[in-house]
Amino acid sequence: MNEHNIVLEYSYDLGIPPIPNKTLEGFAAELDIVKFEFHRTHWSVKDVDLYRTLLKNSQPRRQQPKVFQLAEIENIEPSLVSAMMPFSSNFNAVYAALKRTAESVGLRCRRADDIWENPAVIQDVVWLIDRSRVVICDCTGRNPKFSTKLASRTRLVAKSF
């Protein structure tokens, strides 16, 4: 690099398929691309988060369940841990220990009864699971077959089944 020239080196990752212009035109405004830029070859510097914009607009939309709602695009919060357990004071000590442990490593732990953002508690439960990096389920006293139906981000904890 000198005062008049900048040299860039780049390479294509052949494992990543190209994005057709037609697709990019659908969210061009988010990329700060104007129409004429689709019809000429040039380099351009934009003040946008290319990775996040492409991720948001390129992921397939999620199929919506009938009982509760999911965000159209998965958005996992890297520091969020959810604790799934019965809403009972018998589990308060377990939940307090989970919160302390999570906080000690820079994470925040919540359970659905902390939220109360939706009229139906199931929506708060689903929202929490869907956005969490880690889901911890206390299955104490539950049917062991229940554990086979849980998602891959889930860690099971049980005193006894």
Side-chain angles (χ1 to χ4, degrees):
M1 180 166 113
N2 64 34
E3 63 188 65
H4 299 290
N5 296 308
I6 297 175
V7 177
L8 299 174
E9 291 184 26
Y10 63 92
S11 63
Y12 292 104
D13 184 339
L14 299 177
I16 300 174
I19 303 170
N21 273 356
K22 189 114 181 119
T23 301
L24 292 173
E25 287 171 359
F27 53 95
E30 291 179 65
L31 294 170
D32 192 25
I33 298 175
V34 293
K35 190 170 181 142
F36 85 91
E37 290 179 286
F38 284 104
H39 305 288
R40 56 185 294 200
T41 302
H42 70 286
W43 287 91
S44 180
V45 177
K46 305 291 183 174
D47 187 18
V48 297
D49 186 334
L50 178 61
Y51 174 77
R52 293 262 176 236
T53 304
L54 289 174
L55 184 65
K56 181 178 93 173
N57 288 285
S58 298
Q59 286 185 331
R61 300 294 185 234
R62 295 160 75 174
Q63 194 171 22
Q64 287 296 320
K66 295 181 183 351
V67 178
F68 49 83
Q69 300 208 345
L70 292 172
E72 278 194 42
I73 298 170
E74 183 179 71
N75 187 16
I76 296 173
E77 294 181 27
S79 64
L80 183 59
V81 175
S82 65
M84 298 292 125
M85 58 185 54
F87 299 148
S88 166
S89 59
N90 295 342
F91 290 86
N92 287 348
V94 175
Y95 179 49
L98 289 173
K99 282 182 79 165
R100 281 193 308 274
T101 303
E103 289 168 4
S104 74
V105 294
L107 302 174
R108 63 188 175 89
C109 184
R110 295 184 75 189
R111 70 181 181 188
D113 61 333
D114 289 340
I115 301 173
W116 301 104
E117 291 177 3
N118 296 286
V121 71
I122 187 68
Q123 186 61 51
D124 288 332
V125 170
V126 168
W127 176 89
L128 188 56
I129 291 170
D130 190 48
R131 295 188 64 95
S132 295
R133 176 179 175 195
V134 176
V135 179
I136 301 172
C137 296
D138 188 330
C139 298
T140 303
R142 297 286 184 218
N143 180 339
K145 291 181 182 174
F146 169 77
S147 65
T148 63
K149 298 177 178 157
L150 298 173
S152 62
R153 290 177 288 173
T154 304
R155 300 299 172 255
L156 301 176
V157 177
K159 293 178 189 170
S160 65
F161 279 110

